[in-house]
Amino acid sequence: MPSPIIIKEINAKNIITPSKIPGCDFTLNPYVGCCHACVYCYAGFMQRVTKHAEAWGDFIDVKMNAGDLIYRDGDGAGLAAARAKYDGKTITMGSVTDVYQAVEGKYKLTRQILERLQRLDVELFVITKSNLVTRDIDLLLQQKNCTVAISLSQLDEALCRRLEPRAPSVVSRLAALRKLHEAGVRTVLFISPIFPRLTPWAELVAETVAVVDEYWFENLNLYPTTKQGIKAVLDSIDGRLWWDEYLGKYYGRDGERFWREEEQRIATYCKQRGIAHRIFFRH
Ligand code: SF4
């Protein structure tokens, strides 16, 4: 039985923060915490930073003043200050939370933020695993420069459920991609994270190529906080064999070579098919 999710309404001090992510000037996260509880989530460090006693995935702080932290409606000086700060910059929504996780259905903070961002001249990237994003197609189309990235690492629903226990289904994410694309929103399929032996990235591309404008690829990283969860999933598939292989071939001495070659395989595959792509591998 999953633990209940503790939802707390808070007033935050800031919502847009400078970023060191390549190609991203700022990140924007209207929630602290993420109910999807992915076993590989690097954002689990937020639990310690925010001093939450609950496990990652079991708490969500809702930044009730999210929209006003960008600028207040009707506040000309606030809008001018926001423009001076963010115009011409890139903003990524959803770097340490999912901006369309279930609570967004009730609080509509992401929708409120999109309304505010419309009056700025930013390049916006929205990253999500949720089909709730299609609710805001009207606003996404009104952004000057906007891309929606749906992240997915599996086609197998059962495996997806074990890796991302509370995230929306594979089929709903594929349907969301189609709906966004057909509406005219620029789409990315963010194949992330790539699990060696488990992520069928070529099949994911083949399955979606008609509705995706660009592919992003990111490899799985093993963090001290995520190792046990990932090991448990791999052990449940194939005893300890895969975990031993992970520690040796993919994350041990040979790991760097494996990921360099994988990067090359992906780049060659995409180039041969004229597929726009970006590879965000760290190894
Ligand atoms: S959706 Fe993203 S932020 Fe949320 S738990 Fe999964 S990896 Fe972490």
Side-chain angles (χ1 to χ4, degrees), residues 34 36-38 40-41 56 96-97 129:
C34 182
H36 294 163
C38 307
Y40 53 78
C41 182
W56 180 249
V96 288
T97 189
K129 287 182 166 69

Side-chain angles (χ1 to χ4, degrees), residues 5-209:
I5 298 170
I6 311 292
I7 298 172
K8 201 164 83 188
E9 298 177 355
I10 62 167
N11 270 321
K13 291 202 180 73
N14 56 45
I15 187 153
I16 303 184
T17 46
S19 163
K20 289 185 182 150
I21 299 171
C24 166
D25 297 312
F26 294 96
T27 57
L28 195 164
N29 293 290
Y31 302 100
V32 180
C34 182
C35 73
H36 294 163
C38 307
V39 297
Y40 53 78
C41 182
Y42 82 99
F45 70 87
M46 294 294 290
Q47 182 198 10
R48 294 192 309 278
V49 173
T50 55
K51 301 195 177 13
H52 272 271
E54 304 86 10
W56 180 249
D58 289 349
F59 67 88
I60 299 166
D61 293 346
V62 181
K63 299 180 184 176
M64 298 300 286
N65 55 341
D68 287 351
L69 287 170
I70 303 172
Y71 61 87
R72 283 178 191 277
D73 235 0
D75 173 6
L79 172 60
R83 279 188 174 148
K85 202 165 170 190
Y86 303 121
D87 276 7
K89 305 290 186 194
T90 55
I91 296 182
T92 298
M93 291 180 73
S95 59
V96 288
T97 189
D98 193 314
V99 299
Y100 284 104
Q101 60 183 306
V103 288
E104 169 62 19
K106 173 181 175 188
Y107 287 99
K108 299 187 175 68
L109 294 185
T110 298
R111 191 167 173 84
Q112 200 184 98
I113 288 163
L114 290 175
E115 282 163 354
R116 298 287 208 283
L117 291 180
Q118 262 184 44
R119 302 184 70 187
L120 308 184
D121 191 4
V122 298
E123 183 177 8
L124 183 65
F125 294 97
V126 179
I127 302 176
T128 182
K129 287 182 166 69
S130 173
N131 51 331
L132 182 57
V133 63
T134 60
R135 179 199 67 187
D136 291 344
I137 283 177
D138 57 333
L139 291 176
L140 294 164
L141 286 171
Q142 286 167 36
Q143 304 297 317
K144 290 194 175 72
N145 188 347
C146 172
T147 297
V148 174
I150 301 276
S151 71
L152 187 60
S153 81
Q154 307 299 329
L155 280 167
D156 181 311
E157 293 282 6
L159 179 56
C160 189
R161 194 76 15 254
R162 278 141 87 186
L163 294 168
E164 302 162 352
R166 297 197 194 111
S169 65
V170 173
V171 77
S172 72
R173 284 184 243 179
L174 295 177
L177 266 177
R178 178 169 296 279
K179 197 165 176 187
L180 291 161
H181 180 81
E182 286 175 355
V185 177
R186 185 173 183 274
T187 55
V188 162
L189 178 61
F190 189 15
I191 302 182
S192 168
I194 294 178
F195 281 76
R197 297 188 63 163
L198 275 187
T199 298
W201 54 262
E203 281 175 55
L204 281 161
V205 174
E207 181 80 19
T208 57
V209 74

